[in-house]
Amino acid sequence: SLRRSALNMLGRVGHGAGIPSLIQLATDNSASWIGEESGRALSQSGDPRARDFLRKEVTRTDISDATLAAVVRGLGGNEATGKDIDLLRSSFGTMTSDRARTAVLEVIGQRGTTTDTQWLLGVARNSQMSAETRRRALDLAARSTSGRTQTIALYDSMEDPSLKEALIRIYGQTNDRASVDKLISIAKSDSNYTLRRRAIASLSRTQDPRAREALQEITVR
């Protein structure tokens, strides 16, 4: 903890005097906790040298997952520019670490712009990504009103049952008219019995009168 505090203080030395040392430590120890903590300290600095270092680091494939994730969060923090966010998006597809990818998703999700939401939905549609990555993208996209609306159309195009379950959960949390209508449709006609049960469970928790009517219809079938 003492060494970690020393690294953090290096980034706060007046006039950026500690930045070159932090960069050297991060470069020489990229596979250890020292590299990770040095990168984190650099991410909290607005010094141009620190920002340039983070931009180069985020494209590397030979640093630890923890270090890369720390670099991503640093680059996308309070000092981030539009070009920094573009770099994170463009680097996302070549990242092999789920930890780093999750960090990118969270950085983009916190911004919440229309462009960010569309990008997240694109990740959710990408069958080349892991199911966990796609589920996280769905959850983050659904934080915005436009994202929640667009998830309605995604259900029928998804093949992975776990992703459909994630969408059912989102519809249940959203609880607007379109989401309830989709849950009713799933509960009545989805070919997957488990997903129908998930939709029924979500409908049972809503106060929408149409949900109660639909459940009654299903009961008497």
Side-chain angles (χ1 to χ4, degrees):
S1 61
L2 186 62
R3 296 169 73 192
R4 186 176 290 110
S5 296
L7 287 171
N8 288 330
M9 290 306 298
L10 264 178
R12 301 176 186 177
V13 175
H15 307 293
I19 297 300
S21 295
L22 278 174
I23 290 175
Q24 192 64 54
L25 285 167
T27 301
D28 294 345
N29 302 277
S30 60
S32 72
W33 73 270
I34 296 178
E36 181 181 352
E37 291 298 327
S38 297
R40 184 175 287 111
L42 287 165
S43 73
Q44 296 171 358
S45 171
D47 189 291
R49 293 167 296 176
R51 302 301 299 175
D52 286 343
F53 174 79
L54 293 174
R55 292 179 188 116
K56 293 175 183 176
E57 288 291 282
V58 83
T59 61
R60 289 179 60 180
T61 58
D62 60 341
I63 57 178
S64 71
D65 293 352
T67 299
L68 181 55
V71 167
V72 167
R73 287 190 289 270
L75 189 61
N78 294 333
E79 302 290 338
T81 65
K83 289 185 178 180
D84 291 334
I85 300 303
D86 287 342
L87 177 58
L88 290 178
R89 292 197 194 103
S90 63
S91 301
F92 181 82
T94 60
M95 291 178 177
T96 57
S97 162
D98 278 343
R99 188 170 179 176
R101 283 180 171 175
T102 297
V104 174
L105 293 175
E106 290 173 349
V107 166
I108 302 299
Q110 288 172 359
R111 288 164 50 85
T113 68
T114 299
T115 300
D116 297 322
T117 299
Q118 293 303 317
W119 183 81
L120 289 168
L121 290 171
V123 173
R125 295 188 188 98
N126 189 345
S127 60
Q128 301 302 310
M129 296 292 171
S130 69
E132 180 58 36
T133 295
R134 297 171 73 187
R135 281 196 298 272
R136 186 62 180 144
L138 279 175
D139 286 338
L140 290 167
R143 291 183 179 181
S144 70
T145 302
S146 63
R148 289 192 296 272
T149 300
Q150 293 180 70
T151 60
I152 302 296
L154 281 180
Y155 187 89
D156 295 330
S157 64
M158 292 290 184
E159 296 182 359
D160 189 321
S162 68
L163 293 172
K164 289 193 170 187
E165 285 192 24
L167 285 168
I168 289 171
R169 175 172 46 78
I170 289 170
Y171 302 153
Q173 293 170 345
T174 304
N175 200 29
D176 58 13
R177 185 177 184 84
S179 296
V180 171
D181 285 343
K182 189 61 181 178
L183 286 173
I184 291 173
S185 173
I186 296 167
K188 287 184 174 181
S189 60
D190 198 288
S191 59
N192 185 310
Y193 183 69
T194 299
L195 294 175
R196 291 178 69 181
R197 290 183 61 183
R198 294 281 189 275
I200 289 171
S202 290
L203 286 171
S204 69
R205 292 190 287 269
T206 181
Q207 300 300 313
D208 193 308
R210 292 171 304 119
R212 292 195 294 272
E213 292 174 5
L215 291 174
Q216 289 173 357
E217 291 178 16
I218 294 170
T219 300
V220 299
R221 279 186 178 182

